[in-house]
Amino acid sequence: MLKSLYYIKNWMVRLLKSNNIVATATAHGYAGIGVIRISGTDALEIACQLTHHKTLTPRLATYTKLYSSKDEILDSGLVIYFKSPNSFTGEDVVELQGHGSPIALQMIVQRCLELGCHMAEPGEFSRLAYLNGKIDLVQAESIIDLIHAESEATAKGALKSLHGEFSRQINVINEQLIDLRMFVEATLDFPEEDIEFIANAKIRDKLTILVESMEKLLSNTTQGVLLNNGANIVIIGRPNVGKSSLLNALANEDIAIVTDIAGTTRDIVKEKININGIAFNIIDTAGIRDTTDVVEKIGIERAFNAANSADICLVLVDAIIGLTSTDTSMLSSVPSTIPKIFVHNKVDLLGSITPVSKKLGDTHIYISAKIGTGIDTLRTEILKTVGFDNNNNDVFIARTRHLDAIKRSVEHIHLGFYHWSNLEILAEELRYAHNSLSEITGEFSSDDLLGEIFSRFCIGK
Ligand code: GDP
């Protein structure tokens, strides 16, 4: 559905209720201050009745009392008026900053309802901002990602998206796509042979540039999704090589049980860790070995499943024994596309420390999970392997739905490239590619998708 249709639908729903919404914008609970937001055509009038002011100057914080219908004081605090269109939602907005008492805030919200507001739905302020062209869909989603960010890097990435970096990169490609589509359509309309010859060469050049830009966007978005969801590090290896000890060392906490009894970890243990401000999910698995124990067998199966969906696999081996035939057969079940680091543990028993090495393109690191040797080197290598080794200031945050849309768009462009000499097919593939890309910023998104995205917001956002 086009954004304009969604706009009309929302506008009609709103007409049936009232044109003004209100909600507490700060978290429910006890705090120093609490903020209430009103948005709508009567926001100023409602604020004036609430505060007994004749009018309010835009963007000027005014200390005031807030009154009930019986002129009792409900609270005192600051009121700020944002005149349309220079507000978060693009409508007239008033923010009331009172004390953070849930009861006082509830009384003020109640008074706003009496004065003609209706309760905002989850995400309604952000939805209005999107519908009124103040932000696009990616920016709206990044507000929630910023609120839920679990690491400094994720918060920085969310801010990058909120400030429009991701949308900018999409829009650059959208313009290239529009330009190419226009060119292809025009060539279709004027099929003189000599023009077609020149045009075909140009189309190929433009397609090549487009494919390069798309690949770059795909790679940036993949990083953005990893940053948002936390890359999955899976530790696999034979029993007793020190997998649980390594999980504890990387997490800096005693999370998994460490014993010298083989088969202690029977299920997967998952923990969130932070490496240089970047969130990771680290997964310890059951030791891989031949066993008749039913429970252990299920655990080993789960270990393989976890390894198959890993963003990076740490293959842990005992440094004294080295890689065994069990390790080699275990590795044959893990897709070669999943990056692996071979971690040789228990070097404290060796007496000498071997530096990081590359063998046949694989990285080998030597550590002691017990005493901490090599753990920082391993952390650096993990960051490098998932692409966060340099200054990650450039990474914007992204979601799986963005990545899926970009992948679909890339597929259509590749199909178009494959059929480039058939301009009708090319034109059609480019149209699909363009639609997929436009879903990301919300110019061409389904009604259900938009409804789902905004319903995940909290009330007051
Ligand atoms: P897992 O079965 O692979 O999870 O292995 P654990 O982490 O439970 O460790 C098995 C045994 O090896 C325990 O007795 C640990 O104390 C010991 N261990 C683990 N890492 C090291 C290490 O770096 N050096 C030494 N000396 N022992 C270790």
Side-chain angles (χ1 to χ4, degrees), residues 340-343 356-359 361-365 381 385:
K340 298 170 195 74
I341 300 177
F342 290 85
V343 185
V356 177
S357 67
K358 299 257 176 206
K359 285 179 203 156
D362 291 322
T363 306
H364 291 253
I365 291 191
E381 204 59 39
T385 310

Side-chain angles (χ1 to χ4, degrees), residues 409-430:
S409 191
V410 169
E411 259 171 43
H412 287 300
I413 290 172
H414 279 145
L415 274 173
F417 211 150
Y418 185 73
H419 294 289
W420 74 272
S421 55
N422 184 333
L423 291 188
E424 260 129 27
I425 296 181
L426 176 60
E428 195 62 1
E429 294 300 343
L430 290 178

